[in-house]
Amino acid sequence: MNIYIYIYIYIYIGGRYDMLIRPVFSYPLMWSGPLNLKLSSMLDVGKWPVFALLPPEELRLIRQACVFGSAANEALYVTVNDEVFALGTNCSGCLGLGDLQSTIEPRRIDVLCGKKIVSLSYGTGPHVVIATADGEVFAWGHNGYSQLGNGTTNHGLTPALVSTNLLSKRVTEVACGSHHTIALTTDGEVYAWGYNNSGQVGSGSTANQPTPRRVSSCLQNKVVVNIACGQLCSMAVLDNGEIYGWGYNCNGQLGLGNNGNQQTPCRIAALQGVNIIQVACGYAHTLALTDEGLIYAWGANSYGQLGTGNKSNQALPTQINTDKERMVEVAACHTSHTSAAKTQSGQVLMWGQCRGQAVASPHLTHFSTTDDVFACFATPAVTWHLLSVDSDDYLTVAQSLKKEFDSPEISDLKFLVDGKCIHVHKALLKIRCEHFRALLNETDEDAIEIHQFSYLVYRAFLEYLYTDTINLPPEDAIGLLDLATFYRETRLKRLCQETIKRGISEENAITLLSAAVKYEARDLEEFCFKFCINHLTAVTQTQAFADMDHDLLKNFISKASRYGAFKN
């Protein structure tokens, strides 16, 4: 099975984000090389397009973030200084800025600054709800079904304290369905409010609930430790491992063995004796994680989101085959049909609807967090929970090496190229490159001058030795291809070729073809030639074609003729 990543670029036009380029390129999920997307770095919140225009210095300040909206085009984030900012399309005032104006520039939400957000959830209504470290709950956005819990149906343009029945309570977690909200307190109590057409607020009726009301019934005198919401249902996990569900159930998402809605919480009897520690809800399916690291799934399955290997709905919990790996986290989001899980060893699996494809069984990825699954494959690409960004307190070996590249503090060698210095470490160069192993074993110099390559190219080469990636435009990658050929760096040569392929255009195709011929990159030469044939009219009108080397032009015309390019 081939699963592909599609990269899109968005631009903000006329009050909304429009896709500027439709897909720029695609790559298989199980890639082995050149694509430098930083998919495994939690610090790279820029993987969500809504953050694409933020400068790097602003991205580095983000410590918490949430991306939401029907096109993943709205976001809230918290900085290291505990300031809260919002940007995006501002549908129904969900940015909390006091107006309905879209903004491509982050704007500060003053009322939330310093509040220390511990939980955040959003509904597709849309509305947003947060819980703070002090146990307060704030809500804003669409309120047509009283999902803001303020007793009215008036929309909220700024975060407002949800006070009724919660003033003496400390809320630790919030969860939103499409138009309802539930909250968990430190006492293990659940409160619910908002839309209730299917019993999702657990009140015993289908009347909407305008203010927070405790969900009691069979949860009375029980301690809840985890909550989640699907579009129209609610789930709760108890401290004894039992799990309860209520609300809409026509797809079996409550796991009760039937398809009848439930107006009050009902225990999932099929999991008796199984100790559940976490629950996550998709649009109409549910995932549960046990204390033994097993995953059970139930509900809708038309996209394979249950991971059972087929697309049949399941009204009862079904254990998912994860090749005996112990799971430590399950992830789903009520806006999509995507599922993900993380193993104890740090591997991430995904299944369900993944960029339009139905993946019916857990599929191993090269991601390191479940957040990456939703950033790259869910539709819309929203965050499935409040994203907490790791600080720089701990760095992996690879991250540490990357950080020390061209850092003069502990380097023991510098290259002088075009009058500029590049600081490196002899030991790493010896480990990573045969050329340097031979060179540095023969010299004790702490400075080496380079004349045959430009600074840009040579720096990219040295950085590649530290990071395994290259980040150059295709025209500059030609110079790096020359270096890779000279130093007999086979893998680097392949990465350069892939970079050039991704950046080929009608304007530069002949230039890239000439480089491929010069450096005997046969695969790249064939790729560039076919591109030229497929865009022959435009390519032959470029200046590069007019300046083409005589022998290369002769060979190009001859070969193109064999392809029938010049037939009438």
Side-chain angles (χ1 to χ4, degrees), residues 139 143-155 160-165 192-194 208-213:
N143 195 33
Y145 300 94
S146 299
Q147 58 263 49
L148 302 187
N150 59 17
T152 76
T153 54
N154 301 323
H155 296 348
L161 184 67
V162 182
S163 57
T164 303
N165 296 329
W193 58 94
N208 293 345
Q209 180 62 39
T211 55
R213 175 189 179 280

Side-chain angles (χ1 to χ4, degrees), residues 19 23 42 66 103 105 182 184 244 317 371 409 421 476 493 499:
M19 191 180 295
M42 282 296 292
C66 180
T103 175
E105 295 285 341
I182 63 177
L184 175 63
Y244 288 74
D371 300 293
E409 284 81 6
C421 289
D476 293 320
K493 188 174 180 178
T499 297

Side-chain angles (χ1 to χ4, degrees), residues 177-286:
S178 60
H179 299 83
H180 77 287
T181 308
I182 63 177
L184 175 63
T185 73
T186 53
D187 298 324
E189 299 173 342
V190 177
Y191 285 79
W193 58 94
Y195 195 36
N196 193 36
N197 67 326
S198 304
Q200 56 265 49
V201 302
S203 61
S205 74
T206 55
N208 293 345
Q209 180 62 39
T211 55
R213 175 189 179 280
R214 186 180 173 193
V215 181
S216 52
S217 183
C218 55
L219 292 185
Q220 190 77 34
N221 301 320
K222 291 182 169 61
V223 177
V224 176
V225 295
N226 181 222
I227 56 174
C229 287
Q231 277 278 302
L232 297 167
C233 70
S234 306
M235 304 295 300
V237 176
L238 305 191
D239 60 350
N240 64 3
E242 292 180 350
I243 182 168
Y244 288 74
W246 60 99
Y248 190 74
N249 192 37
C250 287
N251 296 288
Q253 56 262 60
L254 300 186
L256 304 175
N258 59 55
N259 296 108
N261 295 347
Q262 294 290 323
Q263 297 178 8
T264 57
C266 186
R267 183 171 67 87
I268 302 179
L271 291 176
Q272 184 168 358
V274 176
N275 191 12
I276 302 298
I277 60 172
Q278 187 210 342
V279 63
C281 293
Y283 185 95
H285 77 286
T286 307

Side-chain angles (χ1 to χ4, degrees), residues 379-562:
T379 304
V382 298
T383 50
W384 72 274
H385 64 167
L386 179 63
L387 174 64
S388 294
V389 179
D390 294 333
S391 67
D392 283 328
D393 294 341
Y394 173 79
L395 297 177
T396 65
V397 172
Q399 289 168 336
S400 297
L401 292 177
K402 181 177 180 180
K403 184 179 179 183
E404 292 304 323
F405 171 66
D406 201 15
S407 175
E409 284 81 6
I410 62 171
S411 67
D412 55 3
L413 176 66
K414 61 184 177 183
F415 286 93
L416 304 175
V417 190
D418 296 340
K420 301 176 184 177
C421 289
I422 309 170
H423 299 271
V424 292
H425 306 78
K426 291 180 181 178
L428 185 139
L429 266 55
K430 288 181 181 181
I431 292 171
R432 295 281 289 151
C433 178
E434 286 291 338
H435 168 79
F436 286 128
R437 182 174 301 180
L439 175 66
L440 297 176
N441 281 339
E442 296 173 359
T443 179
D444 290 328
E445 305 228 0
D446 57 6
I448 299 174
E449 286 194 56
I450 300 295
H451 301 288
Q452 64 268 50
F453 302 106
S454 69
Y455 171 80
L456 183 67
V457 166
Y458 212 77
R459 191 180 195 282
F461 169 53
L462 294 173
E463 187 172 13
Y464 156 77
L465 297 179
Y466 278 74
T467 65
D468 262 337
T469 59
I470 61 173
N471 187 19
L472 285 174
E475 292 80 6
D476 293 320
I478 293 174
L480 191 56
L481 178 62
D482 181 19
L483 183 150
T485 304
F486 182 76
Y487 284 164
R488 297 181 181 178
E489 285 286 332
T490 306
R491 182 175 183 274
L492 178 58
K493 188 174 180 178
R494 187 175 73 249
L495 297 191
C496 291
Q497 292 182 50
E498 293 298 337
T499 297
I500 293 169
K501 287 180 182 179
R502 293 201 304 271
I504 195 169
S505 66
E506 294 164 349
E507 286 296 321
N508 65 19
I510 292 297
T511 302
L512 301 182
L513 174 63
S514 301
V517 172
K518 179 179 179 181
Y519 301 121
E520 299 181 349
R522 303 303 182 196
D523 179 63
L524 177 61
E525 178 185 344
E526 189 65 19
F527 177 87
C528 293
F529 174 76
K530 289 182 178 177
F531 182 92
C532 291
I533 294 300
N534 292 333
H535 302 82
L536 190 60
T537 301
V539 167
T540 55
Q541 293 174 355
T542 63
Q543 188 61 44
F545 187 84
D547 297 337
M548 201 172 180
D549 175 81
H550 176 74
D551 289 337
L552 182 61
L553 176 60
K554 181 179 176 181
N555 290 334
F556 177 82
I557 293 175
S558 175
K559 188 175 179 180
S561 296
R562 293 198 298 272

